[in-house]
Amino acid sequence: MKNKEVVELLREIAEYLTIKGESRFKISAYERAAHTIENLSEPIEEIDAAGKLTSLPGVGKSIAEKIHEYLTTGRITYLEELKREIPREVFELMEVPGIGPKLAMRLYTELGVRSIDELEEAARQGRIRKMKRMGVKAEQKILRGIEIYKMDAGRVPLFTIRPLVLEMVSYLKEKTGIEKISPAGSFRRWREDVGDVDILVATDTEGDRVIELFSTADWVHEVLWKGDTKCSIVTPSGVQVDLRVVKTESWGAALQYFTGSKAHNIRLREIAISKGLKLNEYGLFREDTGKKIAGEREEDIYEALGLQYVPPELREDMGEIDAALRWDLPDLITQQDIKGDIHMHTTYSDGAGSIRDMAMKAKGMGYEWIVITDHAIGLGVVGGIDLGEWRRQLEEAKRVEKEVGIRIFVGIEANIMSDGSVMISHPDMDFVVGSIHSGLDGSRQKIMERYRKAIFSGLIDSIGHPTGRLLGGVRPPMDMDMDELLSMAKEKDIFMEINSYPNRLDLNGPNVFKAKNMGIKLYIGTDSHAPMQMENMVYGVHTARRGWAEKGDILNTLSADEIEALVGELKRKRASVSVSY
DNA sequence: GCCGTTTTCGGCCCGACTGTTTTCAGTCG
C-alpha cells in the first residue's frame, strides 16, 4: 500500500508551489488531494488499477496523472522539475516563525543565506535591514523568530502537557470566577501530540485581569507577547501556550473556530456559504443582512448549519461532516460506560501494587470488575510468573474478591517469543493478552510471522499494544502491516487492545477506526503498574472516541456477569487447542 | 488544480496583525 508515500509527495509538491508563489487555490488543491488519500482505507494502487483515481474527491485529471506516474515509474517528473528550480535550504528558513515562503526565497537569493545560522549572522550584521521593503523592526523580528524557533519543543505527547494545562484552567477559573475557560485546538480534540496549546476565555469585562494572572504565574518561563485579547507564553518545558480572550456572545463560535481542525473548519464554512451564511470566529451570520444567527453556544453553530453536533475528537474531516449532515454520527463511548479494566500488573511481576491495592482502586473508580494480567515468564528483565505462581495468584485473587467486593479475573500477559511461540497460556486462565516485548526492531516479515503464528496457535485472546511504539520519540512503531494484523484478528476472532498507557495509545485513533469498521471487538487496557495509573483510562476512552468507537465496540462496557460468560467461552476455546506444557 | 440540480468559467474559507508603506503583501492561526 503506497498511500502514505503518495500523500507525502503531494504535500511536497504543495510546499514547493507555496515557495514558488503559485496560486493558493492550486496549492490547496494538492493539499486537499493529499488529505483525501491519507484517509483512504483501500490501497491507492487498486484505485489506480481500476482507473478510478479521478472519482476521489479533490483528485482531477492532472493530479491523477501524477499519482499514476508515481505508481508505475516510481517518480513524478513535475516534482523533480520543482526540486531543480527551488533549493531545499529555503525550507529550513521557513521553520523560523515570521518567515514564510516569499521572505525565505528572497533571503536565499538576495543575501545568499543558506541556513538558520547564516540567517542569524546576516541579521546581526544588519544586512537584512538593507533589503527592499525591510527595516530595522523586520530585522529584529527575525532575530526574535530565531529565538522562538530555538526554544520550540516541537510537537509533544499530550500526556506531557495535559496536567499543566488543566492546572492553568482551574487556577484561572478559581481566581476570576469565570466559568467559560477551556483548552481548544488539538488538545481539546485529544490528538496524541500537540504543537502549541490554545486556551480560550470568555469575558466581557475581565480580559486584562485574566491576561495578567496568566502571564505572571509559576508556569511562565518566558512571555512571548502580551496584548489586550491575546497572550503567548512558553512553559519551562518549551511548550507555547496561547491565551485568547473573547466576548461571551462569541464564546461558542470562538471555541468551534479554535478547536479546528483546519480541514473540518473549512468544510463547515463551505456549508455555510452554500446556505447563504458566513462563519467566522465571532459567529454565524446571514450573508445578505449581516444578522447574527448563532455564536454564544457551540452547539447552536452546528445546528444552524443543519448538522448534528460533532464531538471534538471527530473533527478531523474524516467523514464526520457527511455523517453529521445525515444526522448519523456514532454515539461515542464515554468514561461513564466503563465498568472494568483489562490489562494490569501487580507485585507478582513488575507492578507496584498488590492485588488488593488494584482492586481497591478499581472499586473506588466505580468499576464492577478487573482483569489482572501479570507478565508471564519469557521476559528476561521483568521476572514474569510461571504457571505455579499464576495459580497462587488466582487463590489470592479469590480471597481479595470477597473482601473488597469487586469481581477479579486473573489472566496473563503472555510473550510472543521471537519464533512466534506463546509463553505462556493455559485453559484455566481467564484472559490471555499476547504481546511482543522483544525483537521490536525485526523486519516487517519477521514481525508478521510472529503475530501470525501466535494468533493461529489459538492460545491468545488478544493482542496487547500492537505496534509497540512509545510516544515522544522514544520508540517508533514496529515495522508491521496493521491491515494484515487486523485481518488475522478478524479471522481468528480475537480482540485488539487500545493500550491507554499515556505514552503508548496503541492502537491509536485511526487504527481503532479501521478495526471497528472490520467488526473487530476492542478493549481498553490501562496496562497499569500501580493503582494510580488506572486513572489513565481516560486516555483510552478518548483514543477510542477518536476512532469513532461506540459503547458496543468496547469490552470494558460489559457487566461483570457478561465478562464472566465471555471468559468462559475463551477458556473453552483455548482448552480445545492441543498443546503440551 | 478542482468543481458544477443555478455554473464547463469563475469561483475557490476567514480574519488579525505587522511593517513598510500611501494601499497592501506577507504571515499566521
Side-chain angles (χ1 to χ4, degrees):
Chain A
M1 183 143 138
K2 296 189 171 170
N3 300 27
K4 210 174 161 189
E5 296 163 40
V6 170
V7 168
E8 277 165 16
L9 289 167
L10 292 177
R11 293 233 162 95
E12 207 177 341
I13 291 176
E15 284 179 356
Y16 277 108
L17 293 179
T18 308
I19 292 178
K20 264 190 89 174
E22 281 280 358
S23 138
R24 62 197 167 98
F25 302 113
K26 187 169 172 179
I27 296 161
S28 62
Y30 278 94
E31 283 167 350
R32 170 136 191 262
H35 185 75
T36 297
I37 294 162
E38 190 170 40
N39 295 319
L40 226 50
S41 50
E42 61 265 59
I44 190 83
E45 299 94 306
E46 282 178 17
I47 297 168
D48 179 40
K52 293 249 166 71
L53 283 177
T54 51
S55 69
L56 297 171
V59 178
K61 188 164 166 281
S62 172
I63 293 182
E65 275 171 8
K66 292 178 178 78
I67 295 173
H68 180 74
E69 184 192 359
Y70 176 69
L71 293 176
T72 48
T73 68
R75 48 195 288 259
I76 300 177
T77 318
Y78 182 59
L79 177 58
E80 287 176 8
E81 282 166 9
L82 287 170
K83 283 184 179 176
R84 271 196 293 277
E85 205 175 323
I86 296 157
R88 195 67 223 178
E89 291 91 330
V90 175
F91 287 95
E92 184 186 332
L93 301 180
M94 283 170 63
E95 303 269 308
V96 177
I99 297 185
K102 289 285 185 300
L103 184 53
M105 200 62 199
R106 283 189 65 198
L107 290 164
Y108 183 92
T109 52
E110 293 175 28
L111 294 184
V113 166
R114 295 288 181 273
S115 67
I116 291 173
D117 285 341
E118 287 184 27
L119 175 65
E120 189 169 1
E121 203 185 324
R124 293 203 189 288
Q125 292 167 347
R127 287 159 60 204
I128 288 172
R129 69 181 72 171
K130 296 198 181 101
M131 293 167 72
K132 263 212 182 72
R133 290 187 62 91
M134 297 292 279
V136 178
K137 275 192 172 175
E139 192 171 81
Q140 282 165 351
K141 194 181 156 196
I142 285 177
L143 283 171
R144 185 82 186 106
I146 292 172
E147 256 182 79
I148 294 171
Y149 163 81
K150 285 180 176 169
M151 230 183 326
D152 184 13
R155 293 196 81 86
V156 299
L158 179 62
F159 76 93
T160 62
I161 191 72
R162 187 163 178 269
L164 179 58
V165 173
L166 296 183
E167 186 195 322
M168 290 173 174
V169 171
S170 58
Y171 174 85
L172 293 176
K173 279 186 178 177
E174 195 186 309
K175 288 277 179 186
T176 62
I178 298 171
E179 278 300 310
K180 289 180 168 136
I181 302 181
S182 170
S186 50
F187 185 97
R188 182 165 178 246
R189 302 200 310 276
W190 285 82
R191 254 191 77 137
E192 63 197 33
D193 56 3
V194 298
D196 56 8
V197 177
D198 290 304
I199 298 177
L200 220 55
V201 181
T203 172
D204 295 329
T205 53
E206 298 206 77
D208 296 348
R209 193 164 152 237
V210 177
I211 285 177
E212 189 57 27
L213 279 168
F214 175 73
S215 60
T216 56
D218 286 348
W219 53 66
V220 175
H221 171 69
E222 191 177 342
V223 178
L224 293 179
W225 72 83
K226 190 153 85 165
D228 293 340
T229 61
K230 190 183 165 188
C231 173
S232 289
I233 62 112
V234 177
T235 69
S237 59
V239 178
Q240 186 178 328
V241 182
D242 298 346
L243 186 86
R244 293 166 190 278
V245 177
V246 301
K247 296 274 179 260
T248 49
E249 64 171 33
S250 298
W251 166 248
L255 193 55
Q256 196 291 313
Y257 176 81
F258 285 110
T259 296
S261 64
K262 194 177 172 196
H264 177 88
N265 286 357
I266 289 174
R267 292 290 309 278
L268 283 196
R269 284 175 227 141
E270 283 169 356
I271 290 171
I273 290 169
S274 74
K275 292 179 183 294
L277 304 169
K278 186 174 71 167
L279 177 63
N280 58 31
E281 61 262 54
Y282 303 107
L284 184 63
F285 304 86
R286 305 201 87 91
E287 186 65 62
D288 47 4
T289 61
K291 186 174 181 293
K292 187 175 189 173
I293 58 172
E296 190 160 356
R297 293 177 354 118
E298 199 180 35
E299 292 86 345
D300 298 341
I301 307 267
Y302 285 93
E303 197 185 325
L305 288 171
L307 269 75
Q308 193 179 354
Y309 175 77
V310 181
E313 296 94 326
L314 299 188
R315 299 182 195 171
E316 302 289 350
D317 190 23
M318 283 185 58
E320 77 282 3
I321 303 267
D322 291 335
L325 281 167
R326 295 192 309 268
W327 223 256
D328 191 27
L329 283 171
D331 186 11
L332 298 182
I333 184 172
T334 68
Q335 179 77 34
Q336 285 71 44
D337 294 326
I338 303 294
K339 293 179 178 163
D341 190 346
I342 304 180
H343 194 161
M344 65 184 68
H345 301 266
T346 71
T347 47
Y348 275 81
S349 65
D350 61 348
S354 64
I355 297 176
R356 188 173 182 281
D357 294 336
M358 301 306 274
M360 291 289 287
K361 178 66 187 175
K363 178 89 176 169
M365 289 180 72
Y367 290 168
E368 293 180 20
W369 52 269
I370 52 174
V371 180
I372 291 171
T373 54
D374 266 306
H375 288 290
I377 48 170
L379 186 57
V381 274
V382 172
I385 59 177
D386 62 17
L387 192 56
E389 287 169 292
W390 179 83
R391 289 201 185 282
R392 282 196 293 284
Q393 187 178 30
L394 183 62
E395 290 306 310
E396 184 181 335
K398 281 188 175 145
R399 289 197 299 276
V400 174
E401 187 173 72
K402 289 205 178 66
E403 185 203 334
V404 177
I406 185 170
R407 296 281 274 284
I408 303 176
F409 299 91
V410 185
I412 204 157
E413 183 176 13
N415 300 298
I416 298 174
M417 309 303 282
S418 64
D419 63 353
S421 61
V422 175
M423 188 91 106
I424 54 177
S425 168
H426 191 279
D428 290 348
M429 292 170 173
D430 288 327
F431 198 88
V432 181
V433 179
S435 305
I436 290 183
H437 286 116
S438 58
L440 290 95
D441 56 353
S443 69
R444 169 176 292 227
Q445 192 193 357
K446 174 84 182 160
I447 298 289
M448 295 315 292
E449 272 172 20
R450 289 169 75 184
Y451 271 138
R452 175 168 295 278
K453 193 172 164 201
I455 289 171
F456 284 88
S457 74
L459 294 171
I460 59 175
D461 304 318
S462 79
I463 298 293
H465 44 74
T467 77
R469 71 161 182 185
L470 296 176
L471 292 170
V474 176
R475 188 163 75 207
M478 292 186 276
D479 184 13
M480 59 177 296
D481 185 335
M482 182 57 73
D483 294 308
E484 193 188 335
L485 179 63
L486 293 177
S487 299
M488 291 191 269
K490 174 73 180 167
E491 188 178 342
K492 284 297 285 182
D493 199 22
I494 70 166
F495 305 104
M496 293 298 291
E497 177 173 279
I498 302 169
N499 190 300
S500 65
Y501 208 87
N503 69 352
R504 289 191 182 268
L505 306 186
D506 181 15
L507 302 175
N508 62 9
N511 284 327
V512 169
F513 186 76
K514 271 188 189 174
K516 175 197 156 93
N517 288 334
M518 288 171 71
I520 294 169
K521 279 277 190 298
L522 301 144
Y523 67 90
I524 303 169
T526 58
D527 201 352
S528 292
H529 287 68
M532 273 293 286
Q533 293 176 2
M534 293 173 77
E535 292 177 12
N536 290 331
M537 178 61 73
V538 65
Y539 285 93
V541 170
H542 287 278
T543 300
R545 288 168 65 90
R546 282 181 64 80
W548 295 47
E550 300 178 277
K551 192 176 169 183
D553 299 316
I554 307 287
L555 290 188
N556 306 65
T557 62
L558 298 180
S559 69
D561 287 343
E562 287 168 327
I563 287 287
E564 174 145 14
L566 172 72
V567 159
E569 253 176 70
L570 298 175
K571 286 160 91 165
R572 276 192 295 281
K573 259 172 71 181
R574 261 180 276 120
S576 68
V577 178
S578 71
V579 64
S580 56
Y581 290 98

